[in-house]
Amino acid sequence: MTAVVDAVAAGAIGDRVWLYSNYHCNLACTYCLTESAPGVARRELGAERLLRAAEQAAGLGFGALGVTGGEPFLLAYLPETLARMADVLPVVALTNATYFSDERLERLSAFAGRPVSLQISLDAAEPDRNDLFRGPESFRRVVEAVPRIVARGIRVRIATTEPAALEPGAMERLCALHRELGVPDEDHVVRPVVRRGRASTNHLGVPVGMAELPPELTITAEGAFWSPFAATVHGRRLDTDLLVTRTTDPLRIPAEAMIRLSEGRPAGDDATLNIR
Ligand code: SF4
């Protein structure tokens, strides 16, 4: 057994390695942890680095991969890269699903028969409520895209971020909608807004630190972090309070640092906050 396998088995670190493929996005959500928007610094990892990290993660004994951003599917090479990564380890990719034209949906067929799932953001059953935080037309695009992705045999998880207390019945209506779109209850995750990035600027959500975040090795173009909630941006600068190492390649360096940092912490579960 490797040190990573031992640490995962002991519950000291999570078995998924997260990769920030990029930081730019076609949206600019009010509570975005990474201050993502169309014109921001891309901080892109690149296809070769994504693939190499996947192979290194598997070699170290990690069991799964997560790809997030920014909006990963703005990268033209992403569908094919995810498919190749999934030949190494199962992958979940996070997306706002507002950027899937017919041609882009067609390229998702590269996932057929491979362990790739998409986690798609949807905050409310009503367009006005959803788009208040995520921008105009987001709701319409998501509810159009989800059934088409499901129809391709790709597993979809719906991720709901709660910027504020929901009115009575709101969650029931949202659950009815995701079932109608073809996503079962076990693939619906709900988390609060984390007060970092733009959420911090807008005084939204709950503050978090190392104690509240399950340790999940997270790789960005500028370093390795404690959690996907840690590699955030505020004032256009990458936050470094939860930086683990600047070195990310080879992956062994930040993985060993994560294990050292997690020593003495109580055993935890897999990520409970679910990014986005
Ligand atoms: S929360 Fe997600 S979809 Fe919204 S701006 Fe940030 S990265 Fe883009």
Side-chain angles (χ1 to χ4, degrees):
M1 292 229 290
T2 69
V4 166
V5 172
D6 288 346
V8 169
I13 61 170
D15 85 332
R16 187 183 304 279
V17 175
W18 286 95
L19 301 155
Y20 266 81
S21 56
N22 60 298
Y23 275 75
H24 62 305
C25 186
N26 56 318
L27 304 184
C29 301
T30 309
Y31 50 64
C32 183
L33 302 175
T34 47
E35 293 186 348
S36 295
V40 303
R42 292 184 170 214
R43 298 184 169 92
E44 190 174 332
L45 272 177
E48 288 311 310
R49 181 66 188 113
L50 286 167
L51 285 166
R52 194 162 65 250
E55 283 158 7
Q56 291 175 344
L60 288 168
F62 286 101
L65 302 168
V67 174
T68 187
E71 171 49 50
F73 285 91
L74 293 185
L75 304 170
Y77 55 78
L78 199 83
E80 291 71 25
T81 305
L82 285 180
R84 291 176 64 191
M85 292 168 73
D87 288 338
V88 180
L89 285 174
V91 186
V92 59
L94 277 51
T95 175
N96 61 43
T98 63
Y99 202 65
F100 287 129
S101 61
D102 289 347
E103 185 266 336
R104 292 192 184 99
L105 278 169
E106 193 50 46
R107 293 179 59 207
L108 301 187
S109 56
F111 302 161
R114 290 184 164 105
V116 179
S117 54
L118 299 185
Q119 182 167 311
I120 295 175
S121 313
L122 185 64
D123 292 346
E126 295 78 27
D128 290 354
R129 168 80 185 179
N130 184 81
D131 295 355
L132 181 66
F133 296 98
R134 307 192 70 87
E137 297 294 303
S138 297
F139 179 90
R140 180 185 63 75
R141 292 175 183 160
V142 169
V143 298
E144 284 178 7
V146 169
R148 299 179 72 189
I149 296 169
V150 171
R152 283 173 159 74
I154 298 165
R155 184 179 180 187
V156 170
R157 299 173 80 203
I158 294 291
T160 298
T161 305
E162 290 182 309
L166 293 179
E167 64 187 56
M171 189 56 74
E172 288 76 10
R173 293 195 298 277
L174 177 55
C175 290
L177 174 61
H178 74 64
R179 288 176 205 129
E180 193 182 310
L181 297 175
V183 178
D185 290 355
E186 60 267 29
D187 285 332
H188 181 209
V189 294
V190 181
R191 73 157 177 88
V193 168
V194 168
R195 187 172 293 186
R196 290 174 71 89
R198 204 176 280 132
S200 175
T201 305
N202 292 323
H203 309 290
L204 293 169
V206 292
V208 296
M210 191 178 270
E212 290 78 28
L213 295 172
E216 292 189 296
L217 180 58
T218 300
I219 303 300
T220 77
E222 296 179 43
F225 289 80
W226 178 255
S227 148
F229 294 96
T232 50
V233 173
H234 197 215
R236 291 185 285 178
R237 298 174 70 114
L238 199 63
D239 294 318
T240 54
D241 55 324
L242 296 167
L243 178 73
V244 173
T245 59
R246 280 289 182 193
T247 302
T248 61
D249 192 3
L251 199 66
R252 176 182 55 78
I253 303 288
E256 289 175 354
M258 282 287 289
I259 293 168
R260 283 196 300 276
L261 281 170
S262 65
E263 279 172 3
R265 280 171 51 96
D269 299 324
D270 194 6
T272 52
L273 290 176
N274 307 305
I275 198 168
R276 282 180 194 243

XYZ file of all heavy atoms in Angstrom, residues 24-29 36-38 70-71 74 95-100 134 138 141:
160
model
N -11.677 31.058 -15.941
C -12.629 31.965 -16.598
C -13.962 31.258 -16.805
O -14.049 30.024 -16.762
C -12.060 32.527 -17.899
C -11.753 31.519 -18.968
N -10.931 30.424 -18.768
C -12.168 31.439 -20.258
C -10.833 29.727 -19.883
N -11.587 30.319 -20.804
N -15.003 32.052 -17.009
C -16.351 31.505 -17.088
C -17.203 32.412 -17.969
O -16.944 33.615 -18.048
C -16.941 31.412 -15.683
S -18.547 30.580 -15.638
N -18.205 31.823 -18.601
C -19.140 32.645 -19.380
C -20.150 33.351 -18.484
O -20.825 34.277 -18.930
C -19.876 31.778 -20.417
C -20.594 30.600 -19.785
O -20.056 29.949 -18.898
N -21.800 30.333 -20.229
N -20.266 32.927 -17.213
C -21.151 33.585 -16.258
C -20.317 34.377 -15.250
O -19.081 34.297 -15.274
C -22.021 32.562 -15.525
C -22.889 31.631 -16.382
C -23.759 30.749 -15.482
C -23.748 32.418 -17.354
N -20.999 35.106 -14.377
C -20.315 35.839 -13.302
C -21.236 35.840 -12.088
O -21.775 36.875 -11.692
C -19.994 37.263 -13.742
N -21.429 34.658 -11.499
C -22.427 34.491 -10.440
C -22.094 35.355 -9.219
O -20.922 35.547 -8.867
C -22.517 33.027 -10.027
S -22.962 31.947 -11.390
N -15.020 34.235 -10.963
C -14.927 33.919 -12.390
C -15.870 34.789 -13.213
O -16.913 35.225 -12.742
C -15.242 32.438 -12.610
O -14.255 31.651 -11.992
N -15.479 35.017 -14.455
C -16.226 35.858 -15.396
C -15.501 35.725 -16.740
O -14.404 35.154 -16.803
C -16.245 37.307 -14.917
N -16.080 36.239 -17.811
C -15.432 36.065 -19.120
C -14.008 36.629 -19.206
O -13.148 36.022 -19.823
C -16.382 36.790 -20.072
C -17.720 36.666 -19.412
C -17.447 36.786 -17.938
N -14.014 28.202 -12.502
C -14.284 28.516 -13.871
C -15.262 27.542 -14.520
O -15.829 26.687 -13.877
N -15.447 27.733 -15.789
C -16.290 26.815 -16.553
C -15.385 25.941 -17.421
O -14.859 26.400 -18.454
C -17.288 27.591 -17.415
C -18.067 26.751 -18.401
C -18.696 25.502 -17.761
O -19.363 25.627 -16.726
O -18.498 24.394 -18.302
N -15.513 25.660 -21.397
C -15.059 26.728 -22.312
C -13.800 26.287 -23.049
O -13.439 26.874 -24.068
C -14.768 28.012 -21.543
C -15.960 28.735 -20.905
C -15.505 30.053 -20.291
C -17.069 28.967 -21.912
N -19.973 21.802 -14.160
C -20.278 22.722 -15.249
C -21.553 23.487 -14.951
O -22.442 22.973 -14.254
C -20.421 21.963 -16.587
O -20.842 22.878 -17.595
C -21.429 20.816 -16.508
N -21.644 24.700 -15.501
C -22.910 25.428 -15.374
C -23.889 25.014 -16.469
O -25.057 25.419 -16.445
C -22.679 26.940 -15.342
C -22.026 27.474 -16.616
O -22.380 27.093 -17.718
N -21.083 28.403 -16.449
N -23.442 24.240 -17.448
C -24.295 23.668 -18.505
C -25.057 24.722 -19.300
O -26.109 24.433 -19.857
C -25.254 22.641 -17.925
N -24.514 25.932 -19.357
C -25.191 26.969 -20.146
C -24.487 27.202 -21.473
O -24.828 28.119 -22.212
C -25.224 28.310 -19.375
O -23.880 28.764 -19.177
C -25.925 28.166 -18.041
N -23.515 26.358 -21.767
C -22.652 26.622 -22.921
C -22.680 25.468 -23.905
O -21.787 25.314 -24.714
C -21.223 26.854 -22.398
C -20.326 27.628 -23.332
C -20.584 28.957 -23.643
C -19.210 27.028 -23.904
C -19.761 29.660 -24.495
C -18.371 27.732 -24.763
C -18.664 29.043 -25.052
O -17.840 29.746 -25.901
N -23.732 24.631 -23.821
C -23.761 23.428 -24.645
C -24.612 23.644 -25.896
O -25.823 23.427 -25.881
C -24.284 22.233 -23.842
C -23.300 21.710 -22.837
C -23.674 21.517 -21.524
C -21.999 21.405 -23.212
C -22.771 21.028 -20.588
C -21.083 20.922 -22.289
C -21.475 20.732 -20.976
N -27.269 33.857 -10.912
C -26.421 33.234 -11.926
C -26.433 33.954 -13.268
O -25.573 33.703 -14.106
C -26.819 31.764 -12.110
C -26.852 30.998 -10.806
C -26.952 29.514 -11.006
N -25.723 28.974 -11.538
C -24.688 28.575 -10.808
N -24.737 28.652 -9.503
N -23.600 28.103 -11.367
N -29.794 31.596 -17.663
C -29.098 30.410 -17.129
C -30.084 29.261 -16.936
O -29.818 28.122 -17.323
C -28.431 30.724 -15.790
O -27.449 31.696 -15.959
N -31.263 27.581 -20.214
C -30.214 26.770 -20.854
C -29.978 25.462 -20.113
O -29.770 24.410 -20.729
C -28.922 27.583 -20.936
C -29.034 28.747 -21.906
C -27.792 29.594 -21.877
N -27.920 30.742 -22.752
C -27.180 31.844 -22.652
N -26.263 31.932 -21.704
N -27.358 32.835 -23.478
